[in-house]
Amino acid sequence: MTITSHGEELILDKERALYLPNHQLLAISDLHLGKSAHFRSAGVQVPSTIAQNDLQRLGSLIEKYNPKTLLINGDMFHHGLNTDIDDFSEWQKEYPHLNFLLVKGNHDRLSHADYASMNIDIHDTSYCLGPFCFIHDAPKCTEEELYPITGHIHPGVTIVGKAKQRLKFPCFYFGKEYAVLPAFSTFTGLYNIYPKTNEQIFAVTPNTVVEV
């Protein structure tokens, strides 16, 4: 789905990603690589394919949009170095000309040397582009003249069908004060969003993105 926000064309992709055509920038949030391996190391039986599937989805998006820059808007890595991050390092070699940017989130705790070894450009607080300020947690934004695009809360929306069935989906939220991207990782929960007047929610269904 294509929308316009603050004079910019934005593409909302059903794979839980945002593309800015004017800047050739693909943005995602809450990738949480390493989360499944972290759980397995604690004895919780979580499939090892979760991170691999997320990277495959991300690779398909890169092939689709051919961006110059991939921006991860916080929580790229869930914990310390582990096998999921090893998988990322191998996957990343397929995209030698792609610029990787990370706006650090609360789970991004690797050393600067670790990020540098993976050619990831770190922004500790925010990354500003055009009318937008990409930041992991909207209340921390100090760029008052810019519109924050955030992540962190893993937004979701519940849709009630004609037979009163209730379905919950990840969503994009565009409020008066800030926007929230859906969590890219499939290994996350959802926090229900309730829009106010003149605010927009776009549900991410298995087949498309629809305005609620």
Side-chain angles (χ1 to χ4, degrees), residues 11-157:
I11 298 175
L12 313 183
D13 195 281
K14 68 180 182 64
E15 292 297 339
R16 311 184 189 188
L18 175 71
Y19 184 61
L20 284 67
N22 291 340
H23 305 280
Q24 293 182 273
L25 181 138
L26 180 67
I28 64 171
S29 187
D30 297 277
L31 180 56
H32 284 284
L33 286 174
K35 184 176 182 179
S36 58
H38 177 63
F39 273 67
R40 289 195 301 276
S41 68
V44 181
Q45 298 302 309
V46 178
S48 61
T49 55
I50 291 175
Q52 296 167 4
N53 290 342
D54 284 341
L55 289 174
Q56 185 177 30
R57 289 169 48 229
L58 186 53
S60 295
L61 285 166
I62 293 169
E63 295 297 327
K64 179 178 181 179
Y65 294 107
N66 191 28
K68 289 184 177 179
T69 301
L70 172 64
L71 170 67
I72 299 95
N73 199 27
D75 288 0
M76 180 177 187
F77 299 125
H78 183 78
H79 205 261
L81 296 172
N82 57 36
T83 55
D84 284 354
I85 298 176
D86 292 340
D87 289 342
F88 167 79
S89 296
E90 286 299 313
W91 171 89
Q92 188 188 32
K93 293 176 183 178
E94 299 179 25
Y95 309 99
H97 304 297
L98 182 63
N99 185 24
F100 287 80
L101 300 183
L102 170 63
V103 175
K104 291 184 73 173
N106 52 297
H107 282 284
D108 294 307
R109 302 169 185 171
L110 300 185
S111 70
H112 282 278
D114 289 328
Y115 292 118
S117 70
M118 291 180 277
N119 295 314
I120 298 171
D121 187 10
I122 297 298
H123 296 263
D124 280 326
T125 304
S126 63
Y127 178 76
C128 300
L129 182 69
F132 304 120
C133 175
F134 287 92
I135 189 167
H136 188 60
D137 193 357
K140 296 181 180 179
C141 186
T142 58
E143 304 288 345
E144 296 182 2
E145 72 279 10
L146 301 179
Y147 183 65
I149 298 179
T150 185
H152 186 51
I153 65 172
H154 309 170
V157 60

